[in-house]
């Protein structure tokens, strides 16, 4: 194959990857609107059941889109079991300690003791539907958010630090913007989202296996659910 | 001519934001503006990175 043909093939591949990443990101943010329309169409039906179905459908769609990559990651996981599990445990501990340090600094040094809207709503719903929130935080969010905030970015950005920074910023920004609105207090009190996203992106880059950040997020959320 | 294009774009974006705000129960239109702005920034960054890689 000539150099020009190789280059053209590479460009096509990168463009396809970009198009897929953009589609997935946009789809993720339009999805709640589609569900809201469905809710208004089926007015009077059980919102909770519709909500659960919509969450499961979104996970299935994302898993289907990235099925080939996920199979490769699974093969890699089986091949490098020890190394990957060690990384998951170490980075989970780093995330828990990192988040605790950042929250401690924010509360004690900056005197901001504010529960983010995201955490607040999760805690409120947790009182009524503990199993639903358990399912969401331990299974749903790790799969969906790691695909949307990390896999899509890594497929496009090859530079290590640009990928890590962009992925962490993207995750941080949406956790503030989507639920709480952007103010000094919400930005600072949500800083731990950036730290957690940064550590998970680092682990993903290091292992090149999406199950690693998924498991880290799942274990961290499990830890928080237990202590809640 | 260019101004018209930008005006149309602005109007379409505003109506798009409003439509999304009406059908979305979870977010206020204020928050949705931030979401849309963030989305545009992320899309632009990813497109620029890909274009740079392909150069």
């Amino acid at each position: 194959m000539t150099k020009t043909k190789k280059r053209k093939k590479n460009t096509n591949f990168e463009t396809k990857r970009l198009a897929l990443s953009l589609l997935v990101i946009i789809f993720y943010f339009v999805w709640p609107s589609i569900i809201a329309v469905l809710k208004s169409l089926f007015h009077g039906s059980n919102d909770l059941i519709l909500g659960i179905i919509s969450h499961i459908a979104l996970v299935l769609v994302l898993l289907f889109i990235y099925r080939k990559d996920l199979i490769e990651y699974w093969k890699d996981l089986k091949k490098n079991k020890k190394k990957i599990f060690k990384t998951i445990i170490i980075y989970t501990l780093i995330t828990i300690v990192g988040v605790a340090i950042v929250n401690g600094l924010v509360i004690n040094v900056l005197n901001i003791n504010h529960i983010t809207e995201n955490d607040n709503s999760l805690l409120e719903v947790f009182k009524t539907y503990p199993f639903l929130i358990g399912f969401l935080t331990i299974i749903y969010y790790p799969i969906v958010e790691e695909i949307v905030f990390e896999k899509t970015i890594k497929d496009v950005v090859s530079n290590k630090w640009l990928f890590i920074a962009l992925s962490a910023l993207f995750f941080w920004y949406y956790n503030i913007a989507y639920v709480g609105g952007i103010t000094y207090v919400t930005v600072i009190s949500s800083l731990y989202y950036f730290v957690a996203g940064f550590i998970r992106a680092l682990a993903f880059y290091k292992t090149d296996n999406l199950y690693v950040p998924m498991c880290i997020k799942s274990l961290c959320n499990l830890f928080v659910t237990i202590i809640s | 001519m260019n101004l018209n294009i930008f005006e149309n774009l602005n109007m379409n974006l505003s109506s798009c934001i409003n439509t999304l705000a009406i059908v979305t129960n979870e977010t206020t239109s204020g928050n949705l503006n931030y979401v849309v702005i963030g989305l545009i920034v992320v899309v632009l960054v990813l497109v620029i990175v890909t274009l740079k890689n392909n150069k």
Side-chain angles (χ1 to χ4, degrees):
Chain A
M1 197 185 284
T2 62
K3 239 182 175 179
T4 327
K5 271 189 180 174
K6 248 185 184 176
R7 202 179 145 83
K8 205 177 169 186
K9 203 179 169 188
N10 202 24
T11 308
N12 281 342
F13 178 74
E14 283 180 3
T15 312
K16 274 183 190 169
R17 279 285 188 189
L18 171 71
L20 184 66
S21 291
L22 295 183
L23 258 172
V24 168
I25 291 169
I26 292 167
F27 175 71
Y28 176 69
F29 288 102
V30 171
W31 186 250
S33 306
I34 298 170
I35 296 308
V37 171
L38 286 177
K39 272 182 188 173
S40 64
L41 285 177
F42 297 101
H43 194 65
S45 62
N46 194 329
D47 275 2
L48 179 69
I49 291 172
L50 197 62
I52 293 170
I53 293 170
S54 76
H55 281 98
I56 292 171
L58 181 62
V59 172
L60 292 177
V61 169
L62 292 177
L63 290 178
F64 180 76
I65 291 171
Y66 287 108
R67 64 194 182 283
K68 281 181 189 168
D69 288 352
L70 289 168
I71 290 169
E72 287 305 312
Y73 292 141
W74 184 251
K75 282 179 189 167
D76 177 54
L77 181 73
K78 281 200 332 199
K79 207 174 153 189
N80 304 301
K81 256 187 230 164
K82 266 190 177 175
K83 191 186 155 201
I84 287 177
F85 281 122
K86 201 176 152 189
T87 310
I88 291 170
I89 299 298
I90 290 170
Y91 277 79
T92 303
L93 292 173
I94 293 173
T95 307
I96 293 169
V97 173
V99 167
I101 291 172
V102 170
N103 278 344
L105 286 173
V106 168
I107 293 168
N108 296 310
V109 179
L110 297 170
N111 283 322
I112 296 173
N113 196 356
H114 171 81
I115 299 174
T116 62
E117 276 302 316
N118 193 21
D119 291 348
N120 197 28
S121 53
L122 281 174
L123 284 169
E124 279 303 311
V125 185
F126 184 72
K127 288 173 193 166
T128 331
Y129 305 109
F131 288 107
L132 175 67
I133 294 300
F135 161 76
L136 287 177
T137 54
I138 297 163
I139 297 165
Y140 173 78
Y141 289 124
I143 296 173
V144 171
E145 291 189 344
E146 293 317 293
I147 288 177
V148 174
F149 295 105
E150 292 195 9
K151 172 74 181 153
T152 55
I153 308 284
K154 195 170 183 291
D155 280 350
V156 179
V157 182
S158 52
N159 181 291
K160 180 184 177 180
W161 294 111
L162 183 62
F163 153 66
I164 293 169
L166 196 61
S167 174
L169 277 173
F170 187 24
F171 179 64
W172 182 30
Y173 178 82
Y174 273 101
N175 272 294
I176 311 166
Y178 218 78
V179 283
I182 299 170
T183 63
Y184 172 72
V185 173
T186 56
V187 168
I188 299 297
S189 60
S190 310
L191 204 60
Y192 68 91
Y193 283 117
F194 176 80
V195 175
F198 190 93
I199 296 166
R200 285 199 305 272
L202 194 65
F204 182 26
Y205 192 89
K206 193 186 167 199
T207 55
D208 198 22
N209 193 317
L210 191 65
Y211 292 121
V212 172
M214 279 180 183
C215 289
I216 294 171
K217 193 182 181 91
S218 187
L219 287 173
C220 287
N221 287 347
L222 178 69
F223 174 74
V224 176
T225 308
I226 290 168
I227 61 166
S228 296
Chain B
M1 182 66 186
N2 281 339
L3 261 174
N4 275 341
I5 291 171
F6 279 114
E7 265 176 24
N8 284 341
L9 191 69
N10 191 24
M11 272 176 63
N12 287 339
L13 192 64
S14 301
S15 80
C16 175
I17 289 166
N18 289 337
T19 314
L20 280 172
I22 291 161
V23 294
T24 310
N25 294 327
E26 286 98 340
T27 52
T28 63
S29 60
N31 288 347
L32 208 72
N33 285 344
Y34 288 127
V35 173
V36 174
I37 291 166
L39 206 55
I40 292 168
V41 171
V42 170
V43 168
L44 282 177
V45 170
L46 293 182
V47 170
I48 291 166
V49 168
T50 309
L51 286 175
K52 260 196 156 184
N53 284 346
N54 290 343
K55 257 188 181 178

